[in-house]
Amino acid sequence: MENTSNKKVNVKFMTELALLIAIIIIMALTPIGYIRTPIIVLTLITIPVAVGAIIMGPLGGAICGLTFGLTSLYMAMTAPSAMMGAFMAVNPFLAAVLCIVPRVLDGWLCALIYQGLRKVTKNNPVTYYIAGISCPVLNTVLFMSTLVLFFYNCEFVVNLRNNLGVTNAFAFVIAVVGVQALIEALCCGLVSGFVSQQLNRVLKR
């Protein structure tokens, strides 16, 4: 009986994961997932990543984050923003790391945040929204931190810093993604929090 129960759980996990991966890929390949600006690309793909992290735990979150990262790398190779195109020209390997690693950590950490808050708040509904908001925030922080680590002194970023009139890494990050990151965090966080809460009710977790 225990083996049968474990198999059912595994099949359920894989089915839910496959659906989320499909959603991420569809969003990545359509205008729904990426909103282009002259400098960077805003993404709404943190919504299914956050949902996966909240309802499927750290492993599911990390896999959804990996899928997000791979789609980001695909976009960097096929239709890059001005910034990502410059990074690919400077160092394709580090650009690939920039696309993938922060997104894997994003999904994994979002799940850990949700699980930690759930224990403290006794599954208060606000937990879903805090965890949902943490996903786009973490995505921005991890991505921009890695960008600064790898590419802060490359020609494209130096020119951008001069155009923006900033003199340090923190000011550069705020100038590039400040308002956009706030809008993304609110939109993605509220949507993913609501969807996750409803899915957990339907799935009776």
Side-chain angles (χ1 to χ4, degrees), residues 8 12 30 44 51 75 86 90 116 119-120 133 139 151 175-176 193 198 200:
K8 288 181 179 179
K12 184 178 180 181
T30 64
L44 301 180
V51 171
M75 295 295 292
V90 170
K119 292 178 181 179
V120 173
I133 290 172
N139 178 57
F151 296 107
V176 172
Q198 300 310 311
N200 267 348

Short mmCIF file of all heavy atoms in Angstrom, two decimals, residues 8 12 30 44 51 75 86 90 116 119-120 133 139 151 175-176 193 198 200:
data_model
loop_
_atom_site.label_atom_id
_atom_site.label_comp_id
_atom_site.label_asym_id
_atom_site.label_seq_id
_atom_site.Cartn_x
_atom_site.Cartn_y
_atom_site.Cartn_z
N LYS A 8 1.55 7.16 -6.54
CA LYS A 8 0.51 8.15 -6.85
C LYS A 8 1.02 9.57 -6.60
O LYS A 8 0.75 10.48 -7.38
CB LYS A 8 -0.73 7.87 -5.99
CG LYS A 8 -1.51 6.64 -6.41
CD LYS A 8 -2.74 6.45 -5.54
CE LYS A 8 -3.54 5.23 -5.97
NZ LYS A 8 -4.73 5.03 -5.11
N LYS A 12 1.50 12.41 -9.44
CA LYS A 12 0.85 13.70 -9.25
C LYS A 12 1.86 14.83 -9.32
O LYS A 12 1.61 15.86 -9.99
CB LYS A 12 0.13 13.72 -7.90
CG LYS A 12 -0.67 14.99 -7.64
CD LYS A 12 -1.39 14.90 -6.29
CE LYS A 12 -2.19 16.16 -6.04
NZ LYS A 12 -2.88 16.12 -4.73
N THR A 30 5.83 33.50 -26.18
CA THR A 30 4.78 34.45 -26.59
C THR A 30 5.01 35.78 -25.88
O THR A 30 5.77 35.85 -24.91
CB THR A 30 3.39 33.91 -26.22
OG1 THR A 30 3.29 33.80 -24.79
CG2 THR A 30 3.14 32.54 -26.85
N LEU A 44 7.12 38.16 -16.75
CA LEU A 44 6.01 37.73 -15.91
C LEU A 44 6.11 36.24 -15.60
O LEU A 44 5.20 35.67 -14.99
CB LEU A 44 4.67 38.03 -16.62
CG LEU A 44 4.40 39.49 -16.97
CD1 LEU A 44 3.06 39.62 -17.66
CD2 LEU A 44 4.46 40.37 -15.73
N VAL A 51 4.29 29.97 -8.22
CA VAL A 51 3.23 28.97 -7.99
C VAL A 51 3.84 27.60 -7.79
O VAL A 51 3.47 26.86 -6.87
CB VAL A 51 2.22 28.96 -9.16
CG1 VAL A 51 1.26 27.79 -9.03
CG2 VAL A 51 1.46 30.27 -9.22
N MET A 75 16.17 33.03 -25.16
CA MET A 75 15.88 34.38 -25.63
C MET A 75 17.17 35.18 -25.83
O MET A 75 17.28 35.95 -26.79
CB MET A 75 14.98 35.11 -24.63
CG MET A 75 13.60 34.51 -24.48
SD MET A 75 12.60 34.64 -25.99
CE MET A 75 12.35 36.41 -26.06
N ALA A 86 24.98 42.32 -25.51
CA ALA A 86 26.35 42.75 -25.20
C ALA A 86 27.05 41.74 -24.30
O ALA A 86 28.24 41.44 -24.50
CB ALA A 86 26.31 44.12 -24.53
N VAL A 90 30.51 39.46 -24.93
CA VAL A 90 31.67 39.54 -24.04
C VAL A 90 32.08 38.16 -23.53
O VAL A 90 33.24 37.77 -23.60
CB VAL A 90 31.37 40.48 -22.84
CG1 VAL A 90 32.48 40.39 -21.79
CG2 VAL A 90 31.21 41.92 -23.32
N GLY A 116 8.82 28.37 5.47
CA GLY A 116 9.17 28.99 6.75
C GLY A 116 8.04 29.85 7.29
O GLY A 116 7.70 29.78 8.47
N LYS A 119 5.01 27.83 8.69
CA LYS A 119 5.17 27.30 10.05
C LYS A 119 4.91 28.37 11.10
O LYS A 119 4.34 28.10 12.16
CB LYS A 119 6.58 26.74 10.21
CG LYS A 119 6.86 25.49 9.38
CD LYS A 119 8.29 25.01 9.56
CE LYS A 119 8.56 23.78 8.71
NZ LYS A 119 9.97 23.31 8.85
N VAL A 120 5.35 29.60 10.79
CA VAL A 120 5.22 30.68 11.76
C VAL A 120 3.79 31.21 11.82
O VAL A 120 3.27 31.50 12.89
CB VAL A 120 6.19 31.84 11.39
CG1 VAL A 120 5.96 33.05 12.28
CG2 VAL A 120 7.63 31.36 11.50
N ILE A 133 5.33 37.55 -3.71
CA ILE A 133 6.09 38.77 -3.95
C ILE A 133 7.59 38.51 -3.85
O ILE A 133 8.38 39.12 -4.58
CB ILE A 133 5.66 39.87 -2.95
CG1 ILE A 133 4.24 40.35 -3.28
CG2 ILE A 133 6.63 41.05 -2.96
CD1 ILE A 133 3.65 41.29 -2.25
N ASN A 139 14.21 37.34 -7.86
CA ASN A 139 14.69 37.26 -9.24
C ASN A 139 15.49 38.52 -9.60
O ASN A 139 16.58 38.43 -10.17
CB ASN A 139 13.50 37.11 -10.19
CG ASN A 139 13.92 37.08 -11.64
OD1 ASN A 139 14.73 36.26 -12.06
ND2 ASN A 139 13.38 38.00 -12.43
N PHE A 151 29.62 41.49 -14.96
CA PHE A 151 29.68 42.39 -16.11
C PHE A 151 29.71 43.88 -15.76
O PHE A 151 29.55 44.72 -16.65
CB PHE A 151 28.47 42.13 -17.03
CG PHE A 151 28.46 40.77 -17.65
CD1 PHE A 151 27.56 39.80 -17.20
CD2 PHE A 151 29.34 40.43 -18.67
CE1 PHE A 151 27.54 38.53 -17.78
CE2 PHE A 151 29.33 39.17 -19.24
CZ PHE A 151 28.43 38.22 -18.80
N ALA A 175 18.75 52.49 -10.62
CA ALA A 175 18.47 53.28 -11.82
C ALA A 175 17.94 52.42 -12.95
O ALA A 175 17.08 52.84 -13.72
CB ALA A 175 19.74 54.02 -12.26
N VAL A 176 18.44 51.19 -13.06
CA VAL A 176 18.05 50.32 -14.17
C VAL A 176 16.71 49.65 -13.93
O VAL A 176 15.87 49.59 -14.83
CB VAL A 176 19.14 49.26 -14.43
CG1 VAL A 176 18.67 48.23 -15.45
CG2 VAL A 176 20.41 49.93 -14.93
N GLY A 193 0.30 34.73 -5.68
CA GLY A 193 -0.23 34.44 -4.35
C GLY A 193 -1.66 33.97 -4.40
O GLY A 193 -2.03 32.98 -3.75
N GLN A 198 -5.59 29.36 -4.27
CA GLN A 198 -6.72 28.65 -4.83
C GLN A 198 -6.35 27.22 -5.23
O GLN A 198 -7.13 26.27 -5.03
CB GLN A 198 -7.27 29.41 -6.04
CG GLN A 198 -7.74 30.81 -5.74
CD GLN A 198 -8.69 30.88 -4.54
OE1 GLN A 198 -9.65 30.11 -4.46
NE2 GLN A 198 -8.42 31.77 -3.61
N ASN A 200 -4.00 25.34 -3.89
CA ASN A 200 -3.84 24.53 -2.69
C ASN A 200 -5.20 24.10 -2.13
O ASN A 200 -5.33 23.00 -1.57
CB ASN A 200 -3.06 25.30 -1.62
CG ASN A 200 -1.58 25.02 -1.69
OD1 ASN A 200 -1.14 24.10 -2.38
ND2 ASN A 200 -0.79 25.82 -0.99
#
